[in-house]
Amino acid sequence: MSPNDLLENIFDKFLQDSHVFKNREVLHPDYVPDNLPHREEQTRRIGNILAPVLRGSRGSNIFIYGQTGTGKTAVIKYVLNRLLQKGREIGAPIEVSYINCRLAGTEYRVLARMSGNVGLRVPFTGLATAEVFDRFKIVLGSRGSLLVVVLDEIDSLVKAYGDVLLYELTRINEGLKESRVSIVGISNDLHFKEMLEPRVLSSLGEEEVIFRPYTAPEILDILLQRSTAALLDDVLTEGALNLCSALAAAEHGDARRALDLLRVAAELTEREGKQRITEDEIRLAQNEIERDRVVEVLKTLPLHSKLVLFGAYLITKASIKNSVTGDIYEVYRELCTVLGTDPLTQRRVSGIISELDTMGVLNSRIVSLGRYGRTKKVSLGIPRGVVRNVYSEDHWVGQLVGYAPKCLSNKE
DNA sequence: CGTCCACAGGAATGACGGGCGG
DNA sequence: CCGCCCGTCATTCCTGTGGACG
């Protein structure tokens, strides 16, 4: 018995004492269920397209489109698992590489992870991207295997770095004798295709699979199925179930959202020692999810981004409305002086404000004040208290909690 | 109706930390 | 160990611009 099984038993035993969960795992975000309801068609199609690799020939490249929480990742992972399993049974040299491009971040890191998946170790940094790509090709050529590369959230990579890597990938087979590479690109941006060059598009888009958002009844169905597997009988009230699917359906049919809500609500119910999950728990879960996301973001920000955000917080606290980039920068500079840090330029701070905006912690929108210029109007995108709470524990920013910027006192 | 503010945001360039091959 | 090249983040310099004011 492996140590894992040992723990599995301990955990299972622990779980049996739970008055909420039957099997906690089923609601875990990464859990891939044995069957994916309402996605049979897509599963079948992708299976059909990739099946040729079992016989040693390359499958077509696939482009998958669908919004978040429509089951793209779950379906592809499910198909990959089954493909690997079948491959092992019949001794086909199949390898798969699943990469989330947004999490990987850069072209280089995507390539590095792809290389890692075929057994090529590359350093975090220091090598030219082209160099890693050459090595990757060499290893691939020497292995004589069939590789299925899945590039999830590929749009974020192409937006930031262009489609050069994609182009090189689609071309890779030309230079290989034995190995074959199939590419599966997953995107949730409809306009992604417009960012690709025609030659890349035609190659990647050999096959196209579209995942439509789940309808409200479908989400209800998924929730029902998962909750019966995950939770003890009679724990989930009908009202909670309905609210949960309604909230997720409103969010463009996002099933992941629904499952997150249910999981957090269930954990909450267990912690509180309550017997049933009601609509209240679902609502609390909704708040908790949002707050956790924000807290995580605020904590991991670089120092100067924190200071910019904290500046916006101080301005809001002084009940000044309509702050613009210049006001934020002024306060930010003062904060830097207090901390004895060199301030960044306004150009950079402007960029940081935009970054914070896309993260959703600031709201900024470009306005023209006519004679008084054109700028970004900035306001906090999250509750004031959250900023204070998170940063009062911060090593650097913590000193500034309660600080009243001088440059604000002579404004109204 | 033109002007001109207060920036936006693109492009080029530099500083820095890090791995590589010799 | 050195010189080289890389990715990342920041700086510098720049051109672009919506609309109130005169």
Side-chain angles (χ1 to χ4, degrees):
Chain A
M1 191 188 269
S2 80
N4 272 340
D5 294 334
L6 208 67
L7 281 177
E8 197 67 30
N9 285 344
I10 296 171
F11 292 159
D12 279 348
K13 193 165 182 222
F14 170 77
L15 287 176
Q16 274 165 18
D17 295 335
S18 168
H19 60 280
V20 172
F21 286 102
K22 194 192 291 173
N23 181 2
R24 200 176 297 250
E25 192 69 16
V26 177
L27 290 180
H28 192 271
D30 296 332
Y31 178 80
V32 180
D34 290 332
N35 74 328
L36 297 153
H38 308 295
R39 284 293 175 256
E40 292 83 5
E41 189 198 323
Q42 285 84 354
T43 309
R44 212 176 298 130
R45 270 205 65 198
I46 294 172
N48 267 325
I49 298 165
L50 291 180
V53 300
L54 289 168
R55 286 201 315 269
S57 55
R58 188 181 74 91
S60 294
N61 294 332
I62 312 176
F63 176 63
I64 296 177
Y65 166 74
Q67 300 205 46
T68 50
T70 49
K72 303 181 299 291
T73 305
V75 166
I76 196 69
K77 279 191 170 173
Y78 174 73
V79 174
L80 287 185
N81 284 342
R82 295 294 302 272
L83 201 64
L84 272 179
Q85 194 184 325
K86 199 72 183 173
R88 270 198 297 272
E89 269 176 39
I90 65 171
I94 297 175
E95 290 182 276
V96 301
S97 178
Y98 171 88
I99 297 154
N100 184 312
C101 299
R102 191 179 46 80
L103 295 183
T106 68
E107 215 172 24
Y108 181 88
R109 290 207 278 268
V110 168
L111 200 48
R113 289 200 48 192
M114 243 163 62
S115 304
N117 281 327
V118 295
L120 169 65
R121 215 194 65 82
V122 284
F124 301 108
T125 171
L127 283 185
T129 310
E131 170 67 20
V132 179
F133 198 74
D134 283 344
R135 294 187 191 187
F136 175 72
K137 278 197 284 196
I138 291 166
V139 171
L140 215 54
S142 68
R143 288 197 143 210
S145 54
L146 292 127
L147 178 66
V148 180
V149 179
V150 179
L151 300 172
D152 205 346
E153 305 197 45
I154 197 174
D155 46 314
S156 66
L157 188 75
V158 174
K159 264 175 206 154
Y161 297 90
D163 56 7
V164 188
L165 179 68
L166 265 182
Y167 175 64
E168 294 292 335
L169 268 179
T170 57
R171 273 183 32 132
I172 205 167
N173 289 314
E174 293 169 25
L176 296 175
K177 282 184 188 144
E178 300 286 329
S179 290
R180 293 282 162 166
V181 182
S182 300
I183 307 162
V184 181
I186 304 180
S187 161
N188 43 36
D189 185 351
L190 227 154
H191 304 294
F192 170 66
K193 290 207 295 188
E194 294 160 19
M195 295 187 281
L196 296 177
E197 281 192 48
R199 54 186 183 183
V200 178
L201 182 59
S202 65
S203 178
L204 180 64
E206 285 174 335
E207 298 281 350
E208 219 172 282
V209 182
I210 292 172
F211 283 63
R212 309 224 158 274
Y214 292 107
T215 62
E218 284 171 349
I219 288 193
L220 193 63
D221 203 30
I222 292 168
L223 274 177
L224 209 57
Q225 191 168 344
R226 294 280 189 105
S227 62
T228 36
L231 305 175
L232 294 169
D233 297 343
D234 298 328
V235 168
L236 184 62
T237 63
E238 202 179 324
L241 181 68
N242 287 332
L243 178 62
C244 196
S245 59
L247 286 173
E251 194 112 352
H252 62 257
D254 187 341
R256 178 166 51 204
R257 180 79 184 170
L259 293 169
D260 281 349
L261 276 173
L262 186 60
R263 175 175 48 82
V264 174
E267 283 164 0
L268 213 105
T269 308
E270 179 171 64
R271 272 209 305 275
E272 304 273 305
K274 295 194 179 145
Q275 295 304 314
R276 318 193 76 195
I277 304 174
T278 69
E279 290 164 58
D280 288 344
E281 274 73 41
I282 300 288
R283 287 206 186 84
L284 288 171
Q286 196 181 18
N287 293 339
E288 190 173 309
I289 287 172
E290 176 59 15
R291 214 190 53 229
D292 284 358
R293 202 204 101 231
V294 169
V295 168
E296 190 54 32
V297 167
L298 296 208
K299 273 190 195 159
T300 53
L301 247 27
L303 174 63
H304 287 277
S305 300
K306 286 180 180 174
L307 289 176
V308 171
L309 181 62
F310 197 73
Y313 157 76
L314 289 176
I315 289 173
T316 317
K317 203 176 99 177
S319 52
I320 294 172
K321 284 223 156 197
N322 297 333
S323 57
V324 297
T325 306
D327 305 331
I328 303 262
Y329 188 62
E330 207 179 338
V331 177
Y332 159 81
R333 285 192 65 110
E334 195 179 322
L335 295 182
C336 284
T337 318
V338 175
L339 289 186
T341 323
D342 288 339
L344 302 177
T345 55
Q346 177 157 334
R347 174 69 187 89
R348 180 64 192 127
V349 168
S350 167
I352 288 176
I353 289 174
S354 297
E355 288 167 20
L356 294 173
D357 177 49
T358 50
M359 284 184 256
V361 292
L362 281 185
N363 297 321
S364 80
R365 96 171 195 275
I366 303 159
V367 289
S368 180
L369 274 23
R371 186 62 250 278
Y372 306 103
R374 192 167 172 267
T375 180
K376 275 203 289 259
K377 216 157 126 184
V378 185
S379 61
L380 267 188
I382 51 176
R384 241 168 60 195
V386 178
V387 180
R388 197 197 53 234
N389 288 341
V390 173
Y391 287 151
S392 58
E393 293 165 18
D394 189 274
H395 178 56
W396 288 103
V397 190
Q399 315 168 32
L400 297 169
V401 172
Y403 179 78
K406 292 183 190 71
C407 59
L408 287 182
S409 55
N410 41 21
K411 298 196 175 183
E412 42 104 36

